[in-house]
Amino acid sequence: MLPLLKNEWIKLWNKKQTWIFAAAIVVIMFAITAIYYSFIEETTVPQGQNWEIALETEIAEQEEILANENEEWVLESAEQKIEENEALLAAGVDPNITNNMTFMNETLLVAASFITLFSVIAASSIVSSEIDNGTMKHLLIRPFERWQFLLAKFLTVVGFSAALFVLLVLVNLILGTLFFGAGSPSTPVMEMNFDGNNLYTTVDKVLPQKSGLYFLNLLMFIIISFSISILFKSQTLAVGIGIFILFATSISQAFTALLGETAWYKYVFLPHMDLPAYVVRDELLPGVGLGFSVGVLAVYALVFIGASTVYFQKRDLA
Amino acid sequence: MSQTVLEINELTKQLNRKNIVHNASFQMKKGEILGLLGPNGAGKTTTIRMIVGLIKKTSGKVYINGRDLDEEGRACKSEIGAIVENPAFYDHMSGYKNLEQYARMAKNTISKKRVNEVVELVKLTGAIHDKVKKYSLGMKQRLGVAQAILHEPALLILDEPTNGLDPKGIRDLRDYLRQLADNGISTLVSSHLLSEMQLMCDRVVIMEKGKIINISNIHEEEETESVAGQLVALRVADNHIGLAQEVIAGVKEVTLSQRENGSVLLLKMPYDFLPELNRRLVQGGVDVFGLESRRSTLEDKFLALTSEKSDELQKEAT
């Protein structure tokens, strides 16, 4: 089994595409840093001012509005602002502080969606390309079981994704430190929640959680595109479906709002492809928590892996 | 006692209730070169792919060195080296790196020395570190042979190895195979090029429409021919055909086989009788333009066999 893994790993890094993906991650991270940097420049309050005083001043301003205005939406927004600022004060979170840790917390998963994209492409092509150019025949006549080749290829894609992720973290850390200075991993941060209370936490608590959940989703993306490329013998279809799911996931909240009431919706895998959202909320739908989501994904994963392996074990390579 | 390297027993492949290969059985001895012959679509490739495990057989048995392929698949496969159709490689890697890939998959460790030895044997030493995409078809074919014999298999299987090779390449391949056979390696080679097979093989198995219709030993046949009946072509003047036929009818050693285009008669007779026949023809007043022995080719045999078949079919139909 080990020789197969080694072979796959060597083949992977002998492809130009692999190096282009790695380079793209670096370039993308530079771009995100540049955008983030210009954005921060514009909005940051003048340095030297005490952030707690600034928040309190804002609360006072909003209270004045509360007293004088009577239009409902203005009042509501003022109340919300006061509530938020008080929570920030109570949790000790400076909303304007920017260092390499807060930078990583806010940008890591944005850049990581490109890793998902590249992993989908790698997973879709690693089996089908060898079938297309005829080298698969020369693998399957070797003294190994067919599933061992699949396993080696699958693990190689997972390893590739992990390598890209490590690369991303390193580049992110370097750029963040260069542009925003080194900060403590326990820098307090706020995580926005659109339909519930915001979460007040620290980077070292929340970022590993988000990353772990992201990786579970990434694994799911790899499994789906890998399996589809085997079952439908089509690299194009597998890449297409993978990218479709990627986009559909980003608008899955809209689907959830529309279809959340139906009995079957929670058994579809799509709404569970945004696991990092569980960092700020306990339930996606009433009764649908992290455990349920992971369970649904696990069932899908087993079905996909099972079907593609059985098919690959039995198929004739003509 | 010569050892049986490969035995296939009533091998059958059904697809959509159609027999692609039907009850194919034959054996191969150690150091033998066996040709699998037949027109396109006769089931040669399917038979070969069932032996190497690329296609699942519907029924029947394959034994390699006495081991059952179904029960000891991995042990069997490590005894086989194969080129299935066009030799396919990882084009973006060097020939050497490609060989390393296959070396790692062998059951026994393959030393660098062995790899270099094989590279030298197939005369690729100068180009082995170039990328495979720069190789000519002949070089790829040789690299194909290299990967197939790298792990010192007992049985070499080549599917249509002469496809796309120039005459020199074909001749080189023939020499390699003979060299390997002298070292005790058996080769099963499939082709539809009859003349090639006659030069290359010890025995041929002729397949048609999924069935084995004949197994014959090439060298034995050549010997028996020279004693009992050699095919001789007699060319006479156009207006002497009838006269020649009369003379021949009077000689009991000679039988008229068939009349070829116009003035050529095909005769069957002992080789030693040629001068005597010539004398009699001249005495009989026949102008002889040519008298030459014709070795019956595999092509003649093949056509005879297949036309017998179609005759039978026609009889059945009426």
Side-chain angles (χ1 to χ4, degrees), chain B residues 228-275:
Chain B
Q230 175 95 39
L231 214 52
V232 171
L234 168 67
R235 183 186 289 275
V236 296
D238 285 353
N239 51 353
H240 285 178
I241 281 281
L243 201 57
Q245 276 171 323
E246 268 172 41
V247 174
I248 288 158
V251 186
K252 68 173 192 320
E253 284 89 346
V254 182
T255 46
L256 182 64
S257 171
Q258 95 191 67
R259 184 171 164 187
E260 248 182 19
N261 51 3
S263 54
V264 177
L265 295 172
L266 280 181
L267 312 172
K268 236 183 175 159
M269 56 188 276
Y271 187 65
D272 303 343
F273 197 74
L274 257 178

Side-chain angles (χ1 to χ4, degrees), chain A residues 95-109:
Chain A
N96 291 319
I97 195 169
T98 304
N99 60 36
N100 59 357
M101 288 297 136
T102 61
F103 173 69
M104 188 185 287
N105 186 42
E106 284 177 40
T107 56
L108 194 66
L109 290 201

Side-chain angles (χ1 to χ4, degrees), chain B residues 136-302:
Chain B
S136 68
L137 195 55
M139 287 162 86
K140 280 189 189 172
Q141 200 81 32
R142 268 140 63 197
L143 191 61
V145 173
Q147 64 81 24
I149 62 174
L150 195 59
H151 55 293
E152 300 177 71
L155 174 62
L156 192 59
I157 296 180
L158 308 173
D159 189 9
E160 300 278 356
T162 52
N163 268 2
L165 276 189
D166 54 21
K168 185 175 180 303
I170 293 177
R171 199 201 159 122
D172 283 347
L173 182 69
R174 202 159 65 215
D175 293 343
Y176 292 146
L177 294 187
R178 189 47 68 192
Q179 205 179 326
L180 292 172
D182 292 342
N183 289 323
I185 297 177
S186 318
T187 306
L188 175 63
V189 48
S190 89
S191 179
H192 58 273
L193 295 176
L194 300 132
S195 52
E196 263 322 308
M197 297 295 263
Q198 184 162 29
L199 290 169
M200 212 180 263
C201 304
D202 300 319
R203 281 197 305 153
V204 287
V205 171
I206 299 180
M207 285 188 85
E208 200 195 18
K209 295 185 182 122
K211 287 183 185 167
I212 291 180
I213 55 173
N214 183 274
I215 300 179
S216 54
N217 190 316
I218 286 181
H219 305 304
E220 263 173 30
E221 227 152 81
E222 282 171 4
E223 281 163 27
T224 51
E225 255 173 22
S226 59
V227 180
Q230 175 95 39
L231 214 52
V232 171
L234 168 67
R235 183 186 289 275
V236 296
D238 285 353
N239 51 353
H240 285 178
I241 281 281
L243 201 57
Q245 276 171 323
E246 268 172 41
V247 174
I248 288 158
V251 186
K252 68 173 192 320
E253 284 89 346
V254 182
T255 46
L256 182 64
S257 171
Q258 95 191 67
R259 184 171 164 187
E260 248 182 19
N261 51 3
S263 54
V264 177
L265 295 172
L266 280 181
L267 312 172
K268 236 183 175 159
M269 56 188 276
Y271 187 65
D272 303 343
F273 197 74
L274 257 178
E276 181 58 29
L277 175 69
N278 187 32
R279 201 169 300 129
R280 295 208 189 172
L281 285 167
V282 175
Q283 282 168 359
V286 181
D287 290 351
V288 177
F289 280 78
L291 191 59
E292 55 171 355
S293 83
R294 265 196 203 170
R295 186 151 280 181
S296 91
T297 59
L298 204 49
E299 192 174 316
D300 299 328
K301 187 177 175 68
F302 179 74

Side-chain angles (χ1 to χ4, degrees), chain A residues 1-4 6-16 130 133-149 153 312-318, chain B residues 13 15 49 52-57 73-75 77-78 80-90 92-93 97 100-102 104-107 131 133 144 147-148 151:
Chain A
M1 193 61 215
L2 221 57
L4 295 188
K6 192 175 175 191
N7 273 353
E8 290 303 328
W9 193 248
I10 290 172
K11 280 188 273 184
L12 181 75
W13 291 99
N14 265 289
K15 275 189 198 165
K16 266 199 199 114
E130 288 222 33
N133 64 28
T135 45
M136 185 60 88
K137 284 182 291 200
H138 282 200
L139 292 185
L140 298 189
I141 59 173
R142 309 284 151 179
F144 291 92
E145 300 294 334
R146 287 185 179 188
W147 61 263
Q148 290 179 301
F149 289 102
K153 284 180 179 294
F312 193 72
Q313 284 283 107
K314 290 194 169 170
R315 78 169 281 196
D316 288 341
L317 226 75
Chain B
K13 175 69 184 180
L15 255 185
R49 291 192 179 185
V52 296
L54 286 175
I55 290 181
K56 308 278 165 181
K57 54 193 192 300
R74 289 166 76 168
K77 281 183 178 177
S78 61
I80 301 178
I83 307 179
V84 190
E85 251 172 15
N86 307 317
F89 292 99
Y90 306 106
H92 48 275
M93 285 162 59
K97 278 189 175 175
E100 277 183 331
Q101 288 271 325
Y102 294 114
R104 266 183 225 110
M105 286 189 276
K107 214 170 143 216
K131 290 194 173 181
K133 62 181 162 201
Q147 64 81 24
H151 55 293

Side-chain angles (χ1 to χ4, degrees), chain A:
Chain A
M1 193 61 215
L2 221 57
L4 295 188
L5 264 175
K6 192 175 175 191
N7 273 353
E8 290 303 328
W9 193 248
I10 290 172
K11 280 188 273 184
L12 181 75
W13 291 99
N14 265 289
K15 275 189 198 165
K16 266 199 199 114
Q17 181 189 275
T18 311
W19 292 97
I20 291 171
F21 285 167
I25 290 295
V26 176
V27 171
I28 287 162
M29 204 51 242
F30 265 95
I32 289 176
T33 310
I35 295 165
Y36 194 86
Y37 188 75
S38 57
F39 178 71
I40 290 297
E41 285 286 270
E42 278 170 22
T43 55
T44 308
V45 284
Q47 288 291 311
Q49 204 172 353
N50 188 317
W51 64 273
E52 282 169 317
I53 292 172
L55 282 181
E56 274 162 8
T57 319
E58 208 177 8
I59 291 176
E61 279 168 13
Q62 297 297 323
E63 271 169 351
E64 214 166 290
I65 293 171
L66 270 186
N68 300 330
E69 295 280 339
N70 44 17
E71 210 147 344
E72 205 173 321
W73 68 270
V74 180
L75 294 179
E76 221 170 84
S77 120
E79 265 169 27
Q80 224 171 13
K81 192 78 201 165
I82 293 167
E83 220 172 279
E84 199 183 295
N85 282 3
E86 276 171 352
L88 285 169
L89 282 169
V93 176
D94 176 356
N96 291 319
I97 195 169
T98 304
N99 60 36
N100 59 357
M101 288 297 136
T102 61
F103 173 69
M104 188 185 287
N105 186 42
E106 284 177 40
T107 56
L108 194 66
L109 290 201
V110 178
S113 59
F114 286 95
I115 295 184
T116 312
L117 177 66
F118 297 157
S119 302
V120 162
I121 295 171
S124 308
S125 60
I126 197 162
V127 174
S128 46
S129 68
E130 288 222 33
I131 294 179
D132 290 348
N133 64 28
T135 45
M136 185 60 88
K137 284 182 291 200
H138 282 200
L139 292 185
L140 298 189
I141 59 173
R142 309 284 151 179
F144 291 92
E145 300 294 334
R146 287 185 179 188
W147 61 263
Q148 290 179 301
F149 289 102
L150 286 191
L151 183 61
K153 284 180 179 294
F154 178 75
L155 291 178
T156 300
V157 177
V158 174
F160 168 63
S161 309
L164 285 188
F165 196 77
V166 170
L167 174 72
L168 174 63
V169 170
L170 286 178
V171 176
N172 189 300
L173 196 63
I174 292 167
L175 291 176
T177 311
L178 283 177
F179 283 84
F180 310 106
S184 161
S186 56
T187 306
V189 286
M190 181 194 78
E191 290 288 331
M192 290 277 272
N193 182 6
F194 291 105
D195 35 38
N197 294 324
N198 291 339
L199 175 75
Y200 299 92
T201 178
T202 57
V203 174
D204 59 351
K205 276 189 196 144
V206 74
L207 191 55
Q209 284 180 21
K210 278 201 277 191
S211 304
L213 291 170
Y214 161 79
F215 220 82
L216 282 183
N217 275 154
L218 178 60
L219 208 57
M220 215 40 218
F221 274 108
I222 295 174
I223 289 171
I224 293 171
S225 17
F226 189 74
S227 304
I228 287 176
S229 78
I230 294 167
L231 288 170
F232 295 94
K233 302 178 203 171
S234 164
Q235 187 179 339
T236 332
L237 190 69
V239 174
I241 289 178
I243 292 172
F244 171 75
I245 296 171
L246 194 58
F247 279 106
T249 308
S250 63
I251 52 165
S252 73
Q253 282 185 330
F255 287 120
T256 309
L258 276 172
L259 301 165
E261 301 285 303
T262 57
W264 51 266
Y265 184 68
K266 59 183 174 188
Y267 299 110
V268 179
F269 70 90
L270 201 61
H272 307 294
M273 292 299 275
D274 187 23
L275 289 179
Y278 278 112
V279 164
V280 291
R281 57 183 177 190
D282 293 329
E283 289 188 335
L284 177 76
L285 289 164
V288 178
L290 179 60
F292 185 89
S293 285
V294 172
V296 169
L297 291 183
V299 170
Y300 275 97
L302 285 178
V303 169
F304 272 115
I305 291 173
S308 52
T309 309
V310 168
Y311 175 73
F312 193 72
Q313 284 283 107
K314 290 194 169 170
R315 78 169 281 196
D316 288 341
L317 226 75

